[in-house]
Structure formats: C-alpha cells, structure tokens
Amino acid sequence: MTLLTARDLRGVRFAPAGRRREGLDAAQVYALLARLAAELELLHGQLGGAAAENHRIKTALRDWQERHAACCRHESHWPAAGQSPPATGPARPG
C-alpha cells in the first residue's frame, strides 16, 4: 500500500459545480485539502523523526550490550550453566 502524501492531496481536483450551483463549494473543499496536506506533511515528518530516534536508541543499546558482554566474558559475574549464583550480603552464622 502506498502512503498518501501531501503532494497527492494537493493534486486532487474536483469537477466544477453545475450551472445551478449544485454540489460542493470548491473553495471549502480546497481549503480542507490544504489543511489536510499540511497536517499529513507534519505527521510524516514526526514519523520520520520517531523512526530515526528509534534507530539511534536500538544502535546505542546494541553497542552497550556488546561492550557489556565483552566485559562479562573477562570477569566471572555470572555462574556457569547449572550453578547457583553466588550469595550476596554478609555471611550468616551456620
């Protein structure tokens, strides 16, 4: 599906009302189309900005995960498979 663009809306033309002036007021129709085109243009811009921000955040998270994973490979923070995690806090008398 192709997204409707502001250019598409600006290109819409209606047949003129007949001699008896039946139909829609062309000035009102074109005013509405202009408003819709402006709003659609704004929304497309906001959507593009959100997509760019999403990409930036995903990239930053991926970079952090790679750095953190490399750090954890060198330090034994995590127990091996099947082992319990190390106890934390003060030792309790037995």
Side-chain angles (χ1 to χ4, degrees):
M1 180 175 96
T2 303
L3 292 176
L4 186 63
T5 66
R7 174 178 266 169
D8 295 334
L9 284 174
R10 288 186 180 112
V12 172
R13 295 293 176 254
F14 296 95
R19 289 183 175 201
R20 296 186 306 175
R21 300 283 301 155
E22 293 179 13
L24 303 173
D25 181 345
Q28 289 179 345
V29 171
Y30 290 122
L32 178 60
L33 285 175
R35 178 180 172 189
L36 289 171
E39 289 181 18
L40 191 59
E41 200 166 43
L42 174 69
L43 292 172
H44 276 266
Q46 290 174 345
L47 181 60
E53 179 71 1
N54 185 34
H55 177 72
R56 185 193 68 75
I57 290 170
K58 283 183 174 183
T59 300
L61 176 60
R62 193 172 16 256
D63 292 347
W64 179 87
Q65 287 172 328
E66 288 174 5
R67 286 193 314 273
H68 187 68
C71 172
C72 289
R73 277 189 224 111
H74 299 305
E75 299 175 18
S76 171
H77 291 297
W78 306 102
Q83 293 181 348
S84 298
T88 57
R92 294 184 178 178

Coordinates of all heavy atoms in Angstrom, one line a residue:
M1 N 0.8 -1.2 0.0 CA 0.0 0.0 0.0 C 0.9 1.2 0.0 O 1.8 1.4 0.8 CB -0.9 0.0 1.2 CG -1.8 1.2 1.3 SD -2.9 1.1 2.7 CE -2.0 2.0 3.9
T2 N 0.6 2.1 -0.9 CA 1.4 3.4 -1.0 C 0.7 4.4 0.0 O -0.5 4.6 0.0 CB 1.3 4.0 -2.4 OG1 1.8 3.0 -3.3 CG2 2.1 5.2 -2.5
L3 N 1.6 5.1 0.8 CA 1.1 6.1 1.7 C 0.6 7.3 0.9 O 1.2 7.7 -0.1 CB 2.2 6.5 2.7 CG 2.6 5.4 3.7 CD1 3.8 6.0 4.5 CD2 1.5 5.1 4.6
L4 N -0.4 7.9 1.4 CA -0.9 9.1 0.8 C 0.0 10.3 1.3 O 0.4 10.3 2.4 CB -2.4 9.4 1.3 CG -3.1 10.6 0.7 CD1 -3.3 10.4 -0.8 CD2 -4.4 10.7 1.4
T5 N 0.4 11.1 0.4 CA 1.3 12.2 0.7 C 0.6 13.5 0.6 O -0.5 13.6 0.0 CB 2.5 12.2 -0.3 OG1 2.1 12.5 -1.6 CG2 3.3 10.8 -0.2
A6 N 1.2 14.5 1.1 CA 0.7 15.9 1.0 C 0.6 16.3 -0.5 O -0.4 16.9 -0.9 CB 1.6 16.9 1.7
R7 N 1.6 15.9 -1.3 CA 1.5 16.2 -2.7 C 0.3 15.5 -3.4 O -0.3 16.2 -4.3 CB 2.8 15.7 -3.4 CG 2.8 15.8 -4.9 CD 4.1 15.4 -5.5 NE 4.9 16.6 -5.6 CZ 6.2 16.7 -5.9 NH1 6.8 15.6 -6.1 NH2 6.8 17.8 -6.0
D8 N 0.0 14.3 -3.0 CA -1.2 13.7 -3.5 C -2.4 14.5 -3.3 O -3.3 14.7 -4.2 CB -1.4 12.3 -2.9 CG -0.3 11.3 -3.3 OD1 0.4 11.5 -4.3 OD2 -0.1 10.4 -2.5
L9 N -2.6 14.9 -2.0 CA -3.8 15.7 -1.7 C -3.8 17.1 -2.4 O -4.9 17.5 -2.8 CB -3.8 16.0 -0.2 CG -4.2 14.8 0.7 CD1 -4.1 15.1 2.2 CD2 -5.7 14.4 0.4
R10 N -2.7 17.7 -2.5 CA -2.6 19.0 -3.3 C -3.0 18.8 -4.7 O -3.4 19.8 -5.4 CB -1.3 19.6 -3.1 CG -1.1 20.1 -1.7 CD 0.2 20.9 -1.5 NE 0.4 21.4 -0.2 CZ 1.3 21.0 0.7 NH1 2.2 20.1 0.3 NH2 1.4 21.5 1.9
G11 N -2.8 17.6 -5.3 CA -3.0 17.4 -6.7 C -4.5 17.0 -7.0 O -4.9 17.0 -8.2
V12 N -5.3 16.8 -6.0 CA -6.7 16.4 -6.2 C -7.5 17.6 -6.7 O -7.3 18.7 -6.3 CB -7.4 16.0 -4.9 CG1 -8.8 15.8 -5.0 CG2 -6.7 14.7 -4.4
R13 N -8.3 17.4 -7.8 CA -9.1 18.4 -8.3 C -10.6 17.9 -8.5 O -10.8 16.7 -8.8 CB -8.6 18.8 -9.7 CG -7.3 19.5 -9.7 CD -7.4 20.8 -9.0 NE -6.1 21.5 -8.9 CZ -5.4 21.6 -7.8 NH1 -5.9 21.0 -6.7 NH2 -4.2 22.2 -7.7
F14 N -11.5 18.7 -8.2 CA -12.9 18.3 -8.3 C -13.6 19.0 -9.6 O -13.2 20.1 -10.0 CB -13.7 18.8 -7.1 CG -13.2 18.1 -5.8 CD1 -12.3 18.7 -5.0 CD2 -13.7 16.9 -5.5 CE1 -11.9 18.1 -3.8 CE2 -13.3 16.3 -4.3 CZ -12.3 16.9 -3.5
A15 N -14.5 18.3 -10.1 CA -15.3 18.9 -11.2 C -16.1 20.1 -10.7 O -16.5 20.1 -9.6 CB -16.2 17.8 -11.8
P16 N -16.2 21.1 -11.5 CA -16.9 22.3 -11.0 C -18.4 22.0 -10.9 O -18.9 21.1 -11.5 CB -16.7 23.3 -12.1 CG -16.3 22.5 -13.3 CD -15.6 21.3 -12.8
A17 N -19.0 22.7 -10.0 CA -20.4 22.6 -9.8 C -21.2 23.0 -11.0 O -20.7 23.8 -11.8 CB -20.9 23.4 -8.6
G18 N -22.3 22.4 -11.3 CA -23.1 22.7 -12.5 C -23.6 24.2 -12.5 O -23.3 24.9 -11.6
R19 N -24.3 24.5 -13.5 CA -24.8 25.9 -13.7 C -25.7 26.3 -12.6 O -25.9 27.4 -12.2 CB -25.5 26.1 -15.0 CG -24.5 26.0 -16.2 CD -25.3 26.3 -17.4 NE -24.3 26.4 -18.5 CZ -24.6 27.0 -19.7 NH1 -25.8 27.5 -19.9 NH2 -23.7 27.1 -20.6
R20 N -26.4 25.3 -12.0 CA -27.4 25.6 -11.0 C -26.7 25.6 -9.6 O -27.3 25.6 -8.6 CB -28.5 24.5 -11.0 CG -29.3 24.6 -12.3 CD -30.5 23.7 -12.3 NE -30.1 22.3 -12.0 CZ -30.9 21.3 -11.8 NH1 -32.2 21.5 -11.9 NH2 -30.5 20.1 -11.5
R21 N -25.4 25.5 -9.6 CA -24.6 25.6 -8.4 C -24.9 24.4 -7.4 O -24.8 24.6 -6.2 CB -24.8 26.9 -7.6 CG -24.4 28.1 -8.4 CD -22.9 28.4 -8.5 NE -22.3 28.5 -7.2 CZ -21.1 28.2 -6.9 NH1 -20.3 27.9 -7.9 NH2 -20.6 28.4 -5.7
E22 N -25.2 23.3 -7.9 CA -25.3 22.1 -7.1 C -23.9 21.5 -6.8 O -23.0 21.7 -7.6 CB -26.2 21.0 -7.8 CG -27.6 21.5 -8.0 CD -28.5 20.4 -8.7 OE1 -28.0 19.3 -8.8 OE2 -29.6 20.8 -9.1
G23 N -23.8 20.9 -5.7 CA -22.5 20.3 -5.4 C -21.8 21.0 -4.3 O -22.4 21.7 -3.5
L24 N -20.6 20.7 -4.1 CA -19.8 21.3 -3.0 C -19.2 22.6 -3.4 O -18.9 22.9 -4.5 CB -18.7 20.3 -2.7 CG -19.1 18.9 -2.3 CD1 -17.9 18.0 -2.1 CD2 -19.9 18.9 -1.0
D25 N -18.9 23.4 -2.4 CA -18.3 24.7 -2.6 C -16.8 24.4 -2.8 O -16.1 23.9 -1.9 CB -18.5 25.6 -1.3 CG -17.8 27.0 -1.4 OD1 -17.0 27.1 -2.3 OD2 -18.1 27.8 -0.6
A26 N -16.3 24.7 -3.9 CA -14.9 24.4 -4.3 C -13.9 25.0 -3.3 O -12.9 24.4 -3.0 CB -14.6 24.8 -5.7
A27 N -14.2 26.3 -2.9 CA -13.2 27.0 -2.0 C -13.1 26.2 -0.7 O -12.0 26.1 -0.1 CB -13.7 28.4 -1.8
Q28 N -14.2 25.7 -0.2 CA -14.2 25.0 1.1 C -13.5 23.7 0.9 O -12.7 23.2 1.8 CB -15.6 24.7 1.6 CG -16.3 26.0 2.1 CD -17.7 25.7 2.6 OE1 -18.3 24.7 2.3 NE2 -18.2 26.7 3.3
V29 N -13.7 23.0 -0.2 CA -13.1 21.7 -0.4 C -11.5 21.9 -0.5 O -10.8 21.2 0.1 CB -13.6 21.1 -1.7 CG1 -12.8 19.8 -2.1 CG2 -15.1 20.7 -1.6
Y30 N -11.1 22.9 -1.3 CA -9.7 23.1 -1.4 C -9.0 23.6 -0.1 O -7.9 23.3 0.1 CB -9.4 24.1 -2.6 CG -9.7 23.5 -3.9 CD1 -10.6 24.0 -4.8 CD2 -9.0 22.3 -4.3 CE1 -10.8 23.4 -6.0 CE2 -9.3 21.7 -5.5 CZ -10.2 22.3 -6.4 OH -10.5 21.7 -7.6
A31 N -9.8 24.4 0.7 CA -9.2 24.8 2.0 C -9.0 23.6 2.9 O -8.0 23.5 3.6 CB -10.2 25.8 2.6
L32 N -10.0 22.7 2.8 CA -9.8 21.5 3.6 C -8.7 20.6 3.1 O -7.9 20.1 3.9 CB -11.1 20.6 3.6 CG -11.1 19.3 4.4 CD1 -10.8 19.6 5.9 CD2 -12.4 18.6 4.2
L33 N -8.6 20.5 1.8 CA -7.4 19.7 1.3 C -6.1 20.3 1.7 O -5.1 19.6 2.0 CB -7.6 19.6 -0.2 CG -8.6 18.6 -0.7 CD1 -8.7 18.7 -2.3 CD2 -8.3 17.2 -0.3
A34 N -6.0 21.7 1.7 CA -4.8 22.3 2.0 C -4.4 22.0 3.5 O -3.3 21.8 3.9 CB -4.9 23.8 1.8
R35 N -5.5 22.1 4.3 CA -5.3 21.8 5.8 C -4.8 20.4 6.0 O -3.9 20.1 6.7 CB -6.5 22.1 6.5 CG -6.4 21.7 8.0 CD -7.7 22.0 8.7 NE -7.6 21.5 10.1 CZ -8.6 21.4 10.9 NH1 -9.8 21.9 10.6 NH2 -8.4 21.0 12.1
L36 N -5.5 19.4 5.3 CA -5.1 18.0 5.4 C -3.7 17.8 4.9 O -3.0 17.0 5.5 CB -6.1 17.1 4.6 CG -7.5 17.0 5.2 CD1 -8.4 16.3 4.2 CD2 -7.5 16.3 6.5
A37 N -3.3 18.4 3.8 CA -2.0 18.2 3.3 C -1.0 18.7 4.3 O 0.1 18.1 4.5 CB -1.9 19.0 2.0
A38 N -1.2 19.9 4.9 CA -0.3 20.4 5.9 C -0.1 19.5 7.1 O 1.0 19.2 7.6 CB -0.7 21.8 6.4
E39 N -1.3 19.0 7.6 CA -1.2 18.1 8.7 C -0.5 16.8 8.4 O 0.2 16.2 9.2 CB -2.7 17.8 9.2 CG -3.3 19.0 9.9 CD -4.7 18.7 10.4 OE1 -5.1 17.5 10.6 OE2 -5.4 19.6 10.7
L40 N -0.8 16.2 7.2 CA -0.2 15.0 6.8 C 1.3 15.2 6.6 O 2.1 14.3 7.0 CB -0.8 14.5 5.4 CG -0.4 13.1 5.0 CD1 -0.8 12.1 6.0 CD2 -1.1 12.9 3.6
E41 N 1.7 16.3 6.1 CA 3.2 16.6 6.0 C 3.8 16.7 7.3 O 4.9 16.1 7.5 CB 3.3 18.0 5.3 CG 4.7 18.2 4.6 CD 4.6 19.4 3.7 OE1 4.0 20.4 4.0 OE2 5.2 19.3 2.6
L42 N 3.2 17.3 8.3 CA 3.7 17.4 9.7 C 3.8 16.0 10.3 O 4.8 15.6 10.9 CB 2.8 18.2 10.5 CG 3.1 18.3 12.0 CD1 4.4 19.0 12.3 CD2 2.0 19.0 12.8
L43 N 2.8 15.1 10.1 CA 2.8 13.8 10.7 C 3.8 12.9 10.0 O 4.5 12.1 10.7 CB 1.4 13.1 10.5 CG 0.3 13.8 11.4 CD1 -1.1 13.2 11.0 CD2 0.6 13.6 12.9
H44 N 4.0 13.0 8.7 CA 5.1 12.3 8.1 C 6.5 12.7 8.6 O 7.3 11.9 8.8 CB 5.0 12.5 6.6 CG 4.1 11.5 5.9 ND1 4.4 10.3 5.3 CD2 2.7 11.7 5.7 CE1 3.4 9.8 4.8 NE2 2.3 10.6 5.0
G45 N 6.6 14.0 8.9 CA 7.9 14.5 9.4 C 8.1 13.9 10.8 O 9.2 13.5 11.2
Q46 N 7.1 13.9 11.7 CA 7.2 13.4 13.0 C 7.4 11.9 13.0 O 8.2 11.4 13.8 CB 5.9 13.7 13.8 CG 5.7 15.1 14.1 CD 4.4 15.4 14.8 OE1 3.5 14.6 14.8 NE2 4.2 16.6 15.4
L47 N 6.8 11.2 12.1 CA 7.0 9.7 12.0 C 8.5 9.5 11.6 O 9.1 8.6 12.1 CB 6.1 9.1 10.9 CG 6.2 7.6 10.7 CD1 5.9 6.9 12.0 CD2 5.2 7.2 9.6
G48 N 9.0 10.2 10.6 CA 10.4 10.1 10.2 C 11.4 10.4 11.4 O 12.4 9.7 11.6
G49 N 11.0 11.4 12.2 CA 11.9 11.7 13.4 C 11.8 10.6 14.4 O 12.8 10.2 15.0
A50 N 10.6 10.0 14.6 CA 10.5 8.9 15.6 C 11.3 7.7 15.1 O 11.9 7.0 15.9 CB 9.0 8.6 15.8
A51 N 11.2 7.4 13.8 CA 11.9 6.3 13.3 C 13.5 6.5 13.4 O 14.2 5.5 13.8 CB 11.6 6.1 11.8
A52 N 13.9 7.7 13.2 CA 15.3 8.0 13.4 C 15.8 7.8 14.8 O 16.8 7.3 15.1 CB 15.7 9.4 12.9
E53 N 14.9 8.3 15.7 CA 15.2 8.2 17.2 C 15.2 6.7 17.6 O 16.1 6.3 18.4 CB 14.2 9.0 18.0 CG 14.4 8.9 19.5 CD 15.6 9.6 20.0 OE1 16.3 10.2 19.2 OE2 15.8 9.6 21.2
N54 N 14.3 5.9 17.1 CA 14.2 4.5 17.4 C 15.5 3.8 16.9 O 16.1 3.0 17.6 CB 13.0 3.9 16.7 CG 12.8 2.4 17.0 OD1 13.1 2.0 18.1 ND2 12.3 1.7 16.1
H55 N 15.9 4.1 15.7 CA 17.2 3.5 15.2 C 18.4 3.9 16.1 O 19.2 3.1 16.4 CB 17.4 4.0 13.7 CG 18.7 3.5 13.1 ND1 18.8 2.2 12.8 CD2 19.8 4.1 12.9 CE1 20.1 2.0 12.3 NE2 20.7 3.2 12.3
R56 N 18.4 5.2 16.5 CA 19.5 5.7 17.3 C 19.5 4.9 18.6 O 20.6 4.4 19.1 CB 19.4 7.2 17.6 CG 20.6 7.7 18.3 CD 20.3 9.2 18.9 NE 19.3 9.2 19.9 CZ 19.5 8.8 21.2 NH1 20.7 8.4 21.6 NH2 18.5 8.9 22.1
I57 N 18.4 4.7 19.3 CA 18.3 4.0 20.5 C 18.7 2.5 20.4 O 19.4 2.0 21.2 CB 16.9 4.2 21.1 CG1 16.7 5.6 21.6 CG2 16.7 3.2 22.3 CD1 15.2 6.0 22.0
K58 N 18.2 1.9 19.3 CA 18.5 0.5 19.1 C 20.0 0.3 18.9 O 20.6 -0.6 19.4 CB 17.7 -0.1 17.9 CG 16.3 -0.4 18.2 CD 15.6 -1.0 17.0 CE 14.2 -1.4 17.3 NZ 13.6 -2.1 16.1
T59 N 20.6 1.2 18.1 CA 22.0 1.2 17.9 C 22.8 1.3 19.2 O 23.8 0.6 19.5 CB 22.5 2.2 16.9 OG1 21.7 2.0 15.6 CG2 23.9 2.1 16.6
A60 N 22.4 2.3 20.0 CA 23.1 2.6 21.3 C 22.9 1.3 22.2 O 23.9 0.9 22.9 CB 22.5 3.8 22.0
L61 N 21.8 0.7 22.3 CA 21.5 -0.4 23.1 C 22.4 -1.6 22.6 O 23.0 -2.3 23.4 CB 20.1 -0.8 23.1 CG 19.7 -2.1 23.8 CD1 20.1 -2.0 25.3 CD2 18.2 -2.4 23.7
R62 N 22.4 -1.8 21.3 CA 23.3 -2.9 20.8 C 24.7 -2.7 21.1 O 25.4 -3.6 21.5 CB 23.0 -3.0 19.2 CG 23.6 -4.2 18.6 CD 23.2 -4.4 17.2 NE 22.7 -3.3 16.5 CZ 21.4 -3.0 16.2 NH1 20.5 -3.9 16.5 NH2 21.0 -2.0 15.5
D63 N 25.2 -1.4 21.0 CA 26.6 -1.1 21.3 C 26.9 -1.4 22.8 O 27.9 -2.0 23.1 CB 26.9 0.3 20.9 CG 27.0 0.6 19.4 OD1 27.0 -0.4 18.7 OD2 26.9 1.8 19.1
W64 N 26.0 -1.0 23.6 CA 26.1 -1.2 25.1 C 26.2 -2.7 25.4 O 27.0 -3.1 26.2 CB 25.0 -0.5 25.8 CG 25.1 -0.7 27.3 CD1 25.8 0.0 28.2 CD2 24.5 -1.8 28.1 NE1 25.7 -0.5 29.5 CE2 24.9 -1.6 29.4 CE3 23.7 -2.8 27.8 CZ2 24.5 -2.4 30.4 CZ3 23.3 -3.7 28.8 CH2 23.7 -3.5 30.1
Q65 N 25.2 -3.4 24.8 CA 25.2 -4.9 25.0 C 26.5 -5.5 24.6 O 27.0 -6.4 25.3 CB 24.0 -5.5 24.3 CG 22.7 -5.2 24.9 CD 21.5 -5.6 24.0 OE1 21.6 -5.7 22.8 NE2 20.4 -6.0 24.7
E66 N 27.0 -5.1 23.5 CA 28.3 -5.7 23.0 C 29.4 -5.4 24.0 O 30.2 -6.3 24.3 CB 28.6 -5.2 21.6 CG 27.7 -5.8 20.5 CD 28.0 -5.2 19.2 OE1 28.9 -4.4 19.0 OE2 27.2 -5.6 18.2
R67 N 29.5 -4.1 24.4 CA 30.5 -3.8 25.4 C 30.4 -4.5 26.7 O 31.3 -5.0 27.3 CB 30.5 -2.2 25.6 CG 31.1 -1.4 24.5 CD 31.3 0.0 24.9 NE 30.2 0.6 25.6 CZ 29.2 1.3 25.1 NH1 29.1 1.3 23.8 NH2 28.2 1.8 25.8
H68 N 29.1 -4.6 27.2 CA 28.9 -5.3 28.4 C 29.2 -6.8 28.3 O 29.7 -7.3 29.3 CB 27.4 -5.0 28.9 CG 27.1 -5.5 30.2 ND1 27.6 -5.0 31.4 CD2 26.3 -6.6 30.6 CE1 27.2 -5.7 32.4 NE2 26.4 -6.6 32.0
A69 N 28.8 -7.4 27.2 CA 29.1 -8.8 27.0 C 30.6 -9.0 27.0 O 31.0 -10.0 27.6 CB 28.4 -9.3 25.7
A70 N 31.3 -8.2 26.4 CA 32.8 -8.3 26.3 C 33.4 -8.2 27.8 O 34.3 -8.9 28.1 CB 33.4 -7.3 25.4
C71 N 32.8 -7.3 28.5 CA 33.3 -7.1 29.9 C 33.0 -8.3 30.7 O 33.8 -8.8 31.5 CB 32.6 -5.9 30.5 SG 32.8 -5.6 32.3
C72 N 31.8 -8.9 30.6 CA 31.4 -10.0 31.4 C 32.2 -11.3 31.0 O 32.3 -12.2 31.8 CB 29.9 -10.3 31.3 SG 29.0 -9.0 32.2
R73 N 32.6 -11.4 29.8 CA 33.4 -12.5 29.3 C 34.7 -12.6 30.1 O 35.3 -13.6 30.3 CB 33.7 -12.5 27.8 CG 32.5 -13.0 27.0 CD 32.9 -13.2 25.6 NE 31.8 -12.6 24.8 CZ 31.8 -11.5 24.0 NH1 32.9 -10.8 24.0 NH2 30.7 -11.2 23.4
H74 N 35.3 -11.4 30.4 CA 36.6 -11.4 31.1 C 36.4 -11.5 32.6 O 37.4 -11.8 33.3 CB 37.3 -10.0 30.8 CG 37.6 -9.9 29.3 ND1 38.2 -10.8 28.6 CD2 37.2 -8.9 28.4 CE1 38.3 -10.4 27.3 NE2 37.7 -9.3 27.2
E75 N 35.3 -11.2 33.2 CA 35.0 -11.3 34.6 C 34.0 -12.3 34.8 O 33.1 -12.5 34.1 CB 34.6 -9.9 35.1 CG 35.6 -8.8 34.9 CD 35.0 -7.5 35.4 OE1 34.0 -7.4 36.1 OE2 35.6 -6.5 34.9
S76 N 34.1 -13.0 35.9 CA 33.2 -14.1 36.2 C 32.0 -13.6 37.1 O 31.9 -13.9 38.2 CB 34.0 -15.2 36.9 OG 33.1 -16.2 37.4
H77 N 31.2 -12.8 36.5 CA 30.0 -12.2 37.2 C 28.9 -13.3 37.2 O 28.0 -13.3 38.1 CB 29.5 -11.0 36.5 CG 30.4 -9.8 36.7 ND1 30.7 -9.3 38.0 CD2 31.1 -9.1 35.8 CE1 31.5 -8.3 37.8 NE2 31.8 -8.1 36.5
W78 N 28.8 -14.0 36.2 CA 27.6 -14.9 36.0 C 28.1 -16.4 36.2 O 29.1 -16.8 35.8 CB 27.1 -14.8 34.6 CG 26.8 -13.4 34.3 CD1 27.5 -12.5 33.5 CD2 25.7 -12.6 34.7 NE1 26.9 -11.3 33.4 CE2 25.8 -11.3 34.2 CE3 24.6 -12.9 35.5 CZ2 24.9 -10.3 34.4 CZ3 23.6 -11.9 35.8 CH2 23.8 -10.6 35.2
P79 N 27.2 -17.2 36.9 CA 27.5 -18.6 37.2 C 27.4 -19.4 35.9 O 26.7 -19.0 34.9 CB 26.5 -19.0 38.2 CG 25.3 -18.1 37.9 CD 25.9 -16.8 37.5
A80 N 28.2 -20.4 35.8 CA 28.1 -21.3 34.7 C 26.7 -22.0 34.7 O 26.0 -22.0 35.7 CB 29.2 -22.4 34.7
A81 N 26.4 -22.6 33.5 CA 25.1 -23.2 33.4 C 24.9 -24.3 34.5 O 25.8 -25.1 34.7 CB 24.9 -23.8 32.0
G82 N 23.8 -24.3 35.2 CA 23.5 -25.3 36.2 C 24.0 -25.0 37.6 O 23.8 -25.7 38.5
Q83 N 24.8 -23.9 37.7 CA 25.3 -23.5 39.0 C 24.4 -22.4 39.6 O 23.8 -21.6 38.9 CB 26.7 -23.0 38.9 CG 27.7 -24.0 38.6 CD 29.1 -23.4 38.5 OE1 29.3 -22.2 38.5 NE2 30.1 -24.3 38.4
S84 N 24.4 -22.3 40.9 CA 23.6 -21.2 41.6 C 24.4 -20.0 41.6 O 25.7 -20.0 41.6 CB 23.3 -21.6 43.1 OG 22.6 -22.8 43.1
P85 N 23.8 -18.8 41.6 CA 24.5 -17.6 41.7 C 25.2 -17.4 43.0 O 24.7 -18.0 44.0 CB 23.5 -16.5 41.5 CG 22.2 -17.2 41.7 CD 22.4 -18.6 41.5
P86 N 26.3 -16.7 43.1 CA 27.0 -16.5 44.4 C 26.1 -15.8 45.4 O 25.3 -14.9 45.0 CB 28.2 -15.7 44.0 CG 27.9 -15.0 42.7 CD 26.9 -15.9 42.0
A87 N 26.2 -16.1 46.6 CA 25.5 -15.5 47.7 C 25.9 -14.0 47.8 O 27.1 -13.7 47.6 CB 25.7 -16.2 49.0
T88 N 25.0 -13.1 48.1 CA 25.4 -11.7 48.3 C 25.1 -11.3 49.7 O 24.3 -12.0 50.4 CB 24.6 -10.8 47.3 OG1 23.2 -11.0 47.5 CG2 25.0 -11.1 45.9
G89 N 25.7 -10.3 50.2 CA 25.4 -9.8 51.5 C 26.3 -10.5 52.5 O 27.2 -11.3 52.2
P90 N 26.1 -10.1 53.8 CA 27.0 -10.7 54.9 C 26.7 -12.2 55.1 O 25.6 -12.7 54.9 CB 26.6 -9.9 56.1 CG 25.3 -9.3 55.8 CD 25.2 -9.2 54.3
A91 N 27.8 -12.9 55.4 CA 27.6 -14.4 55.7 C 26.8 -14.6 56.9 O 27.0 -13.9 57.9 CB 29.0 -15.0 55.7
R92 N 26.0 -15.6 56.9 CA 25.2 -15.9 58.1 C 25.9 -17.0 58.9 O 26.4 -17.9 58.3 CB 23.8 -16.4 57.7 CG 23.0 -15.3 57.0 CD 21.6 -15.8 56.8 NE 20.8 -14.8 56.2 CZ 19.6 -14.9 55.8 NH1 19.0 -16.1 55.9 NH2 18.9 -13.9 55.2
P93 N 25.8 -16.9 60.2 CA 26.5 -17.9 61.0 C 25.7 -19.2 60.8 O 24.5 -19.2 60.8 CB 26.4 -17.4 62.4 CG 25.5 -16.2 62.4 CD 25.3 -15.8 61.0
G94 N 26.4 -20.4 60.8 CA 25.8 -21.6 60.5 C 25.5 -22.4 61.6 O 24.8 -22.9 62.3

